[in-house]
Amino acid sequence: MVRFADMASLAFQAVDARSVAGCAAAPQPAPRRADWQSVLADAVRDPAELCRLLGLPASMAAAAEHPASGYPLLVPQTYLARIRHGDPDDPLLAQVLPRAAEQFEVAGYRKDPLGEADAAVGPGLLSKYRGRSLIVTTGACAVHCRFCFRRHFPFPDSPRTAAQWQPALARIASETSIHEVILSGGDPLALPDTQLAQLAARLAEIPHLKRLRIHTRLPVVIPQRVTDELLSWVHSNRLAPIMVVHTNHPAEIDDAVAVALQRIVEAGIPVLNQCVLLRGVNDDAEVLAELCERLADLRVMPYYLHQLDPVAGAAHFAVPEQTGIRLIEQLRARLPGYAVPRYVRETPGGASKMVLA
Ligand SMILES: *Cc1c(COP(=O)(O)O)cnc(C)c1O
Ligand code: SF4
């Protein structure tokens, strides 16, 4: 099937070729700037292809062919471009390439590590903490992080129509103690802006809501996702916006990501970062300090450093809490206080995330 974007691109090249016909030193047509949906559609899904593109041994691909739990590899080119060629230990590769260790059963590592089934108060709606409700907008993401605590989450088909959002909206409207709605997933920005704008507009009609929070990794994975349309619907909505992005390593912030984050900040939207403490990725004071400083330079405030949730298939990423506490102490000794994230652990049934350091 030829997608619309492909046809547009072909048409563009045809016009361009005609306009330069007959010119001796005809310049190549500039590559059309890919929109985020084409980048996502063209993402690498085949471990063998990923390993070939990155100059990695085929044996690494073989281990990734059959990830446990049907959670396949997904890496868009924009993220792949930041992975070092030929380095099997690259910290970005570690986040996205399935390893044989995913299939080991480890005591304590569960499919629903946070007991979220108990926090579901309606279709796609989680209410765990006072004053805040979380909408699971979609199961889709721009990348499949191997350590994702919702990798086994039973995502319902994401609501697409106003009628399908209705039960969650009615529940929020009936609970006057809720002041903030968190759009989560999956990744809410995997949905088109038209759909998100409609949902946000419905939320803004609920008088007791004050704030709208968006938890997303998309601006970091596919920076083209920060579109004018996105900034425009967030900006024009009555609710005070907060965007929480997810970055785990400074190498994830290339120039395009920096520009995308700056655009969000310059649109007047506060941006926070959450990060997961991961063995072989960022369990190192130097790496975490560089990440926090880079974020602060971009006016993105480090928010949480999460202890890994014990989700089945991710045990090989675990870092002991004592190590995490020591890392935070090291960060405190070298960074301004505002640049040190809170180190937290999620506990099923707790009144808030538990602060470890
Ligand atoms: C983490 C989380 C929140 C947000 O918690 P904050 O401490 O406000 O960032 C809200 N709802 C659920 C279900 C969560 O897991
Ligand atoms: S982007 Fe977030 S929700 Fe999606 S796979 Fe990664 S950690 Fe999970």
Side-chain angles (χ1 to χ4, degrees), residues 71 141 143-145 147-148 186-187 217 246:
Y71 189 62
C141 283
V143 67
H144 285 170
C145 308
F147 49 85
C148 179
D187 196 314
R217 189 150 157 71
H246 170 182

Side-chain angles (χ1 to χ4, degrees), residues 114 116 119 126-129 132-134 149-150 180 182 213 215 244 274 303-304 306 346 352-353:
L114 305 180
E116 287 196 316
L126 301 179
S127 264
K128 212 161 136 182
Y129 302 137
R132 289 147 286 171
S133 265
L134 184 151
F149 71 100
R150 292 210 182 109
E180 176 170 354
I182 301 170
R213 199 189 317 177
H215 277 191
V244 183
Q274 50 185 349
Y303 181 41
Y304 282 147
H306 291 271
E346 195 85 48
S352 72
K353 298 179 208 300

Side-chain angles (χ1 to χ4, degrees), residues 112-272:
D112 182 10
L114 305 180
E116 287 196 316
D118 299 334
V121 294
L125 190 66
L126 301 179
S127 264
K128 212 161 136 182
Y129 302 137
R130 196 184 156 79
R132 289 147 286 171
S133 265
L134 184 151
I135 299 185
V136 178
T137 53
T138 171
C141 283
V143 67
H144 285 170
C145 308
R146 307 316 304 174
F147 49 85
C148 179
F149 71 100
R150 292 210 182 109
R151 57 180 287 173
H152 309 281
F153 192 86
F155 287 107
D157 288 339
S158 65
R160 301 220 163 257
T161 64
Q164 287 165 338
W165 286 117
Q166 195 48 41
L169 291 164
R171 174 77 195 209
I172 295 167
S174 71
E175 187 52 76
T176 54
S177 65
I178 300 173
H179 300 306
E180 176 170 354
V181 163
I182 301 170
L183 302 184
S184 182
D187 196 314
L189 295 191
L191 296 177
D193 284 312
T194 44
Q195 218 175 310
L196 290 167
Q198 279 167 19
L199 175 61
R202 306 268 313 271
L203 289 166
E205 288 165 9
I206 301 175
H208 49 268
L209 286 185
K210 308 290 181 219
R211 298 180 299 275
L212 181 65
R213 199 189 317 177
I214 302 170
H215 277 191
T216 176
R217 189 150 157 71
L218 249 153
V220 175
V221 178
I222 304 179
Q224 290 92 329
R225 179 64 187 89
V226 181
T227 56
D228 292 339
E229 295 74 36
L230 168 65
L231 299 177
S232 156
W233 72 255
V234 174
H235 190 72
S236 62
N237 191 282
R238 169 184 76 82
L239 303 169
I242 300 140
M243 197 174 291
V244 183
V245 297
H246 170 182
T247 319
N248 300 314
H249 192 281
E252 286 176 294
I253 308 174
D254 65 6
D255 290 346
V257 173
V259 168
L261 294 173
Q262 293 276 45
R263 287 193 66 212
I264 306 170
V265 172
E266 278 162 17
I269 303 166
V271 187
L272 310 175

Side-chain angles (χ1 to χ4, degrees), residues 22-61:
C23 172
Q28 289 296 309
R32 188 174 141 279
R33 190 168 159 278
D35 68 88
W36 67 273
Q37 278 154 321
S38 329
V39 175
L40 189 49
D42 293 341
V44 176
R45 292 156 198 275
D46 174 16
E49 188 189 352
L50 183 84
C51 291
R52 196 173 56 247
L53 290 168
L54 290 171
L56 295 167
S59 57
M60 289 184 79

